Amino acid sequence: MTPRLPLTRQATRPLSHRYTTTTNTLAQSRRTMTGLLVKPEVTAEISGQANVDKFQAISRDFRSDTMTMPSDGMMLAAIKASRGDSVYEEDPDTAALEARIAKMTGKEDCLFAVSGTLTNQLAIRTHLKQPPHSVIVDWRAHVHKMEAGAIAMFSQGTTHQLVPSNGLHLTANDIKPHLVLGDNIHTAPTKLICLENTLSGIVFPQDEVVKIGELCRENDIALHLDGARIWNVGAKVVEERGLDPNSEANRTAVFTELLQPFDTASLCLSKGIGAPIGSALVGPKDFIKRAKWFRKAFGGGIRQAGFMTVSADYALTHHFPRLASTHALARRLADGLQGLGCEILAPVDTNMVFFNADRLGVPFEAIKARMEALPNPISIMFERLVIHHQITPAAVEDFIAVIRELRDEVRAGRGDEVAAEAEKLDGEQLEVEKSEGKLRKQAALGY
């Protein structure tokens, strides 16, 4: 690899001389964290040069783990997928994925749908039989804040949002005083509790999940998991126990344990493991039968779904083992930023880093402008950085290097020049991204 040059600004050298990844693109080769050369995931021969170029950009995109690109291997698998009608339950590959995930999670049945929002709302609608009824959630919960008010819209339910006393996650002690029980006509009884794991990349402790599950059973209340990033939780457990992440038996043991306290769970397939589309809802057989009815009513039935479900199956097999490395990169990123003086706003348990550079005197707009000005640009969404399975170690090191460079320039008395870089950004687009970034931060961190 090209040796890394010092990252102090040099007036006579363009940006391309100061970063290594321009001469060693991900499209040309990809190195694992051990330095071993592996086959490119996307090639011009199979996917076309435009996708090779886009893949290079994705390898430096920290906005979300939904940004991943289907690999050549995934697309070739999709070409051979069965092409039956899944609404008529005549698509073998869709049925096979549903059976696999049901078995892996220790549940009776599984339903494939196009998004995590849909599987969450199908679950909530199926749980809530007849109003009046209410749902207890963390005040930052995606099902409450980021799903377009769907609980009220589709299920006629009200949400009771609780603030965790520990600042990280709800506990049974937080929830118990807020249960609405009995038949007082002035109230909306608690019929469902929704937990989210991870939330802001933070893992919900399993012992507390078990306690909440026991509280639910004692009071005949259903418990649903928004497992948008439950794959990351499972990967963390697998790594901590020293298990082989490629083993289906190990995955089954871990996810069955994680989901045992829940009546139902939504497992997003496009986050974490990087399928191009889809989410799975697991639960009892009669429940899934009812949810399938609502999926039809919501317009969510898919005809020839095989190419989607084969892609998700490929991702589960081939991408799940990579998740532990995304956690290691997130820790490296957080340590590097903190070492430069940035504030890390939330625990880094898995693949998310929330940071603030105010202590350095560097505005986020300047950071964004400098990242976009690189020969190989880096994409960010302000405070939240998400490490997906196609982010490279070089991208993480370049990110840290840019922050170091900006800090050093401010210390050298060039803060006004740094701040002025923000003027290069598209003002209208910047406002859109700032608004989206603020929403994401509020939903994740609660302020």
Side-chain angles (χ1 to χ4, degrees):
M1 293 181 66
T2 305
R4 185 175 297 278
L5 296 172
L7 291 172
T8 54
R9 183 175 289 278
Q10 302 175 49
T12 59
R13 292 185 175 226
L15 283 168
S16 59
H17 287 278
R18 297 190 285 117
Y19 297 89
T20 63
T21 50
T22 53
T23 58
N24 203 8
T25 67
L26 189 66
Q28 295 167 336
S29 67
R30 181 182 177 93
R31 293 183 181 273
T32 66
M33 294 188 72
T34 60
L36 297 176
L37 190 66
V38 297
K39 185 179 179 180
E41 290 186 58
V42 179
T43 64
E45 291 76 13
I46 294 174
S47 297
Q49 187 59 43
N51 282 322
V52 171
D53 295 341
K54 180 63 175 176
F55 188 60
Q56 169 66 24
I58 285 169
S59 75
R60 299 167 68 79
D61 193 328
F62 290 81
R63 290 176 296 169
S64 176
D65 46 3
T66 61
M67 298 294 177
T68 54
M69 176 180 283
S71 65
D72 288 356
M74 181 183 288
M75 298 306 293
L76 290 172
I79 289 173
K80 297 180 180 180
S82 59
R83 301 175 190 183
D85 189 318
S86 70
V87 173
Y88 282 97
E89 300 183 357
E90 295 178 0
D91 186 65
D93 283 337
T94 297
L97 176 70
E98 291 171 338
R100 181 186 185 188
I101 294 177
K103 181 178 180 181
M104 187 180 296
T105 57
K107 302 301 182 187
E108 289 183 351
D109 208 352
C110 173
L111 177 65
F112 178 80
V114 295
S115 72
T117 293
L118 182 54
T119 48
N120 276 330
Q121 295 306 321
L122 287 174
I124 293 168
R125 180 64 189 87
T126 307
H127 277 300
L128 298 181
K129 307 297 185 186
Q130 172 65 45
H133 42 219
S134 61
V135 183
I136 286 180
V137 297
D138 187 301
W139 72 316
R140 304 161 295 175
H142 194 280
V143 296
H144 166 62
K145 277 201 167 184
M146 301 293 287
E147 296 186 6
I151 293 176
M153 186 185 304
F154 296 125
S155 298
Q156 296 177 283
T158 185
T159 50
H160 294 166
Q161 310 105 50
L162 306 185
V163 178
S165 57
N166 58 30
L168 297 175
H169 59 81
L170 290 175
T171 66
N173 289 336
D174 290 332
I175 293 170
K176 189 172 183 179
H178 295 278
L179 295 179
V180 180
L181 306 173
D183 55 6
N184 187 312
I185 63 171
H186 300 89
T187 65
T190 304
K191 296 297 183 181
L192 178 65
I193 295 173
C194 293
L195 305 181
E196 189 171 337
N197 196 11
T198 66
L199 197 160
S200 310
I202 302 169
V203 173
F204 208 124
Q206 186 66 11
D207 58 347
E208 197 60 53
V209 173
V210 170
K211 292 177 184 177
I212 295 171
E214 292 170 349
L215 179 65
C216 287
R217 286 190 291 274
E218 290 169 3
N219 294 280
D220 194 26
I221 295 169
L223 183 62
H224 173 71
L225 171 68
D226 175 2
R229 292 183 172 88
I230 192 66
W231 303 116
N232 293 88
V233 181
K236 184 177 177 68
V237 173
V238 166
E239 182 184 32
E240 289 174 343
R241 295 180 181 177
L243 303 175
D244 179 3
N246 294 288
S247 164
E248 190 82 352
N250 289 341
R251 288 191 286 244
T252 297
V254 167
F255 284 105
T256 297
E257 177 184 339
L258 288 172
L259 270 60
Q260 190 280 328
F262 296 94
D263 297 289
T264 58
S266 167
L267 302 89
C268 186
L269 301 163
S270 62
K271 300 184 178 76
I273 60 173
I277 189 171
S279 184
L281 173 62
V282 296
K285 190 169 291 291
D286 287 345
F287 184 95
I288 296 299
K289 183 178 180 180
R290 180 85 173 155
K292 194 172 294 184
W293 203 333
F294 286 122
R295 184 184 67 174
K296 178 63 176 176
F298 288 3
I302 311 168
R303 296 300 180 179
Q304 286 70 38
F307 71 97
M308 301 180 192
T309 52
V310 162
S311 297
D313 186 74
Y314 182 97
L316 184 52
T317 298
H318 295 278
H319 298 168
F320 176 79
R322 297 180 177 182
L323 295 185
S325 68
T326 70
H327 303 168
L329 281 179
R331 291 192 295 271
R332 164 60 190 144
L333 179 57
D335 290 344
L337 295 175
Q338 194 166 37
L340 294 173
C342 293
E343 181 183 7
I344 303 302
L345 303 174
V348 182
D349 288 346
T350 53
N351 68 323
M352 288 191 188
V353 179
F354 288 83
F355 84 110
N356 190 302
D358 286 351
R359 294 174 177 175
L360 308 183
V362 180
F364 271 106
E365 292 82 356
I367 295 172
K368 183 174 177 62
R370 184 69 62 89
M371 296 289 181
E372 292 182 359
L374 295 175
N376 261 341
I378 289 176
S379 298
I380 62 172
M381 188 186 284
F382 291 87
E383 288 93 344
R384 189 183 81 161
L385 308 173
V386 186
I387 309 298
H388 58 71
H389 73 90
Q390 291 169 339
I391 289 276
T392 62
V396 169
E397 296 305 321
D398 283 352
F399 194 109
I400 296 168
V402 167
I403 301 300
R404 180 185 298 111
E405 184 176 68
L406 289 167
R407 181 203 64 178
D408 291 347
E409 290 176 18
V410 170
R411 287 181 174 179
R414 306 213 309 270
D416 290 343
E417 296 176 31
V418 168
E421 291 194 34
E423 297 175 5
K424 302 174 185 176
L425 298 173
D426 181 318
E428 184 175 343
Q429 180 62 26
L430 179 62
E431 288 306 311
V432 171
E433 293 182 3
K434 285 174 69 175
S435 176
E436 177 71 10
K438 181 180 179 181
L439 181 63
R440 296 286 176 181
K441 186 177 80 168
Q442 288 176 337
L445 301 179
Y447 60 88

